[in-house]
Amino acid sequence: MSKEPYTSLISKMTLDEKIAQLIQLATPFYKGASNEGQITGPMAEMGIKEDVALNSGSVLGASGAKTTKDIQKAHLEENRLGIPLLFMADIIHGYKTIFPVPLAIGCSWDLELAEQSAEIAAKEAAVSGVHVTFSPMVDLARDPRWGRVMESTGEDPFLNSEFAKAFVKGYQGEDLSNDHSRVAACVKHFAAYGAPEGGRDYNTVDMSERQLREFYLPAYKAALDAGCEMVMTAFNILDGIPATGNRKLMRDLLRGEWNFNGVMISDWGAVKEQIDHGYAADQKDAALKALRAGVDIEMMTTCYVHHAKELIEEGAFDESIIDEAVLRILELKHKLGLFENPTRGANEELEKELVFSASHRQAAKELAIKSSVLLKNEGILPLQKDKKVGLIGPFAEHDDLLGPWSWIGSREDAVKVSEGFRSKIDSSLLTIAKGSDIEQITQSQIDEAIEVAEKSDVIVLALGEDSYMSGEAGCRADIRLPQAQLDLIQALKSQDKPMIAVLFNGRPLDLHGVVDQTDAVLEAWYPGSEGGAAVADILYGDANPSGRLTMSFPYSVGQVPVYYNCYNTGRPQVAPDSKGRFVSQYLDIPNEPLFPFGYGLSYTTFEYGKVSLSSDVVQPGQPIEVSVEVTNTGKIAGEEVAQLYVRDITGEVVRPLKELKGFQKVMIEPGETKQLSFTLSEEQLRYYHPDLTFDSDAGDFTAYIGSNSRDVSAHPFKLVK
C-alpha cells in the first residue's frame, strides 16, 4: 500500500494528535485495562492529560487477549480518527513458556532451535494481543560483570549476527502482514550498550568508530537485513553523546547509510535522561535533540507531548519532522493489519489452547538441554540410576529457574530440579537438603547437608545466582558464587564423596571454589520453564550435553574483559607458563580464561584430523573449501560443534588472533567419521581500515578448525588480489 492514504490521514490530524502518537504509555493510562487509573509513583508525576492517552500511539506492557481487545475497543470508540493502538512488550526469551535466557540459547549453537523459540514466543504473544516484542537484544558482551550479558548471545560479532537473523525470522515469519501469529521485532540497544565501562549498567561507552563498526554494529545490521521492523535506542553515551540524541548514529548511520525506514523507539525514559547525562538542558531541549536524531516514539516520559508543539511554534524544527515520525508509526500499524483488524491475532479461545501448551514446553526443554554446557567431568557423569543421591543446595527445590525478563512466565509452573530427579529415580534413592540460602548459611543448614551427604553415594549441588543478581541493573563486581555457597561446598568436601555442581546463573562466573572442589560442573544457566527436567535428562544420560560457551569464563575478574578475538600486543606472552618478565602478562594469574569461547564437553569424545584446503590461495570470486575429518571416538552418539577460525597475519590495522568465520553442529555416531567442509571467501576476510573502508588485504592468513577457540588445528593460506 502506498504512503498516500497515510499522508492523507496525517493531514487530517491536529498537531496535538500527531505528537500524541509519539508517546508510549503503560496500561494504567488506558480505559479497558484491568489496572486502569492506577497511576502512582513516577507515573503520577508525568502530567498526562486524558486527551494525550486518547490519541497516543502505543501501549507498553499490556497482555492477554481480553485485556488488549478491551483496551483497543475503548480506545477506538473515543479516538476521533479511529487510529488503533500498538501493543508492545518485553518478550525476551518466551512469553508464558519460558526458554533459556538468550546467553544460554547462544550456547546451543543451534540457529533452528533459536528461531523456533522466537516463533513460539511470537505465537503466544500474538494470540494474547501483543504486536511488538522488544527483542532481539544483540549487544555484543565481553564483560560478565554487566548484568545484561544474559540477554546477549555472547562475545562474537559473527555468531551474534547469525542469532540476530534467526530471532527476527522466528518473531516475524515470512509474511508479517498476513500471518497474525507473528509479531514485529525490535532490535536493541542501538548502539554498543554492551560495552559499559566497569561492566556497570547505563555507564559510559567510549570506543573508536572502527571498533564500533567491526565488532558492535554487525549484529544490529544483520537484524535489519533480516527485516526487523523497529530499533530501540541505548541508554549509554557514544562518542560523548547519548545514543537517544545522537544524530550521527541515528540519522546519518542508521537512517542514512543503512537506509532504515522503520520505527525507532527510545528505551524507558531515555529521552528525558539526556538531562542527567548533561547533554540536554531541560525536557524541552531533550525533546528537540531526540526528535532531530530521528527517535519516533518516546517511552514513558513526556518531553515530546509537553514541548514538541512549542518547539515547532518557535521554529526550532519543522513540523515535517513530526509528520515523518507519525508516518512511520502508521505504516507499521498498516503492516500489522491493525486498520483492517484492530485486535489482530488476539483470541481468547486460541489463547487457552496455545499458551504454555505441552508442545511449547517440550520445545523449551529441548533448548534447555542443548543450551547447557558441561564444563568438567571426571568420569562421574552420567549418573547411574541405582545410586543414592544427595541433592543439596539453594536451587535444589527453588523455583527461580526462569531468569530475568521472563514477564508472563510463572515460577510456580517451572519444573524444579528436585522434580526432575524424582522423575528419574525411586524416591528412596533421593535425599534433599537446602544446605544454604543463596547468600546466607547457618550451622544448622550445614549440619543437615552433611547428614544428607553421609547417606548418599554421590552429591549433586544445585547452586547459582538469584535472578535479581542478573539482568538489567544486576551488575556485580565480584562474579564468584556467593560466599555462603562456597562455604557449603567446602563443608561437604570433607565427606569425600563424588560431587557434581549444577549452576543456575545469568553470566560467566569466576568458578574458583567450585571447579577445583567438584568432580563435574554443568552450566545450566537460567534454563526456563522446563529447567529441572532438562537438567535431570543430562545428569542421568538421557541426553548428551552439546552446549558450547559463547562467552569466555574468566580465570579471575581481574582479567575482565577477557575474550578470544583479542589482539596480540607488541610483547606477547610466548606460552602460558613462560617465565619472561617484560611481556604482556599478569604476575599472579594466567592471561587465558578458565574456559575459552566455544568450549564444552560431551559424554563422548571427538578427534579431529588434519585441516586441509582445496587451494592454498583465496582470490576475489574464487573461494576455497576448508575441510577436516571429525571422528566420534567414544561409545555413544553425540553432537559436536566444529568451529572455523581465521587469522589475518598482517593488516593495515592489527587483526584479532582468531575470528570465527563458520561453524557446524553435527550428530556423529560412535565410531563414525564425518568430513566437514567450510567455504571461505575473500569477502569473509574484509575488515574496517583506518579510513573506515571495508576491504581485505592481500597476504598471509591462517585457517583453524577445532572444538573451541583454543583447541584447534591450523593450516596457512594466502589471499591474492
Side-chain angles (χ1 to χ4, degrees), residues 557-579:
V557 73
Q559 295 174 315
V560 170
V562 58
Y563 48 94
Y564 88 93
N565 47 354
C566 59
Y567 302 126
N568 201 35
T569 82
R571 294 187 177 187
Q573 188 183 51
V574 177
D577 58 351
S578 62
K579 303 299 182 184

Side-chain angles (χ1 to χ4, degrees), residues 412-428:
E412 290 74 20
D413 294 328
V415 178
K416 302 179 184 67
V417 178
S418 57
E419 293 170 340
F421 270 74
R422 289 189 181 104
S423 72
K424 297 296 180 184
I425 58 175
D426 188 87
S427 59
S428 64

Side-chain angles (χ1 to χ4, degrees), residues 179-370:
D179 186 353
H180 290 180
S181 69
R182 304 299 180 115
V183 296
C186 176
V187 67
K188 63 184 186 184
H189 305 81
F190 199 71
Y193 181 47
E197 290 183 355
R200 199 175 75 237
D201 215 350
Y202 320 121
N203 202 12
T204 300
V205 173
D206 191 13
M207 66 178 66
S208 69
E209 185 174 351
R210 191 194 61 76
Q211 185 181 24
L212 175 71
R213 287 178 175 270
E214 184 150 321
F215 294 103
Y216 290 86
L217 292 186
Y220 305 111
K221 184 63 162 58
L224 297 179
D225 287 346
C228 191
E229 292 290 344
M230 289 183 60
V231 172
M232 179 183 286
T233 69
F235 285 117
N236 54 277
I237 65 169
L238 192 62
D239 198 20
I241 299 174
T244 305
N246 195 317
R247 295 179 71 177
K248 179 180 178 182
L249 183 65
M250 303 303 182
R251 287 280 183 189
D252 297 347
L253 193 152
L254 181 64
R255 297 213 184 276
E257 183 180 333
W258 288 3
N259 295 311
F260 175 66
N261 294 313
V263 174
M264 193 190 312
I265 186 170
S266 80
D267 207 336
W268 181 301
V271 172
K272 185 179 177 182
E273 288 172 15
Q274 294 177 98
I275 301 169
D276 292 310
H277 277 296
Y279 181 64
D282 50 30
Q283 291 193 43
K284 181 178 176 181
D285 193 28
L288 174 65
K289 287 175 174 173
L291 283 164
R292 280 181 170 174
V295 179
D296 302 314
I297 299 177
E298 178 183 9
M299 184 194 294
M300 289 302 295
T301 49
T302 55
C303 303
Y304 287 8
V305 295
H306 288 161
H307 300 288
K309 185 175 183 179
E310 180 185 1
L311 287 164
I312 291 169
E313 291 171 345
E314 292 174 354
F317 62 84
D318 192 80
E319 190 173 341
S320 62
I321 295 290
I322 301 294
D323 289 349
E324 74 171 40
V326 175
L327 179 60
R328 285 191 284 263
I329 294 166
L330 296 181
E331 286 178 331
L332 178 57
K333 292 179 179 183
H334 163 67
K335 183 173 285 190
L336 289 165
L338 296 178
F339 285 98
E340 295 77 20
N341 183 3
T343 58
R344 200 168 184 265
N347 184 315
E348 291 99 318
E349 292 305 312
L350 194 56
E351 182 180 35
K352 295 174 186 175
E353 178 184 329
L354 278 178
V355 174
F356 206 58
S357 66
S359 63
H360 290 182
R361 294 176 64 179
Q362 180 59 36
K365 178 182 175 182
E366 182 181 4
L367 191 46
I369 290 170
K370 302 274 186 162

Side-chain angles (χ1 to χ4, degrees), residues 26-39 50 67 70-71 74 78:
T27 55
F29 290 99
Y30 295 93
K31 293 181 180 180
S34 59
N35 57 350
E36 176 188 346
Q38 296 176 26
I39 301 169
E50 186 176 346
T67 295
D70 287 349
I71 293 173
E78 299 192 30

Side-chain angles (χ1 to χ4, degrees), residues 400-414:
D400 190 10
L401 303 181
L402 305 185
W405 293 116
S406 28
W407 200 35
I408 304 299
S410 169
R411 286 188 179 186
E412 290 74 20
D413 294 328

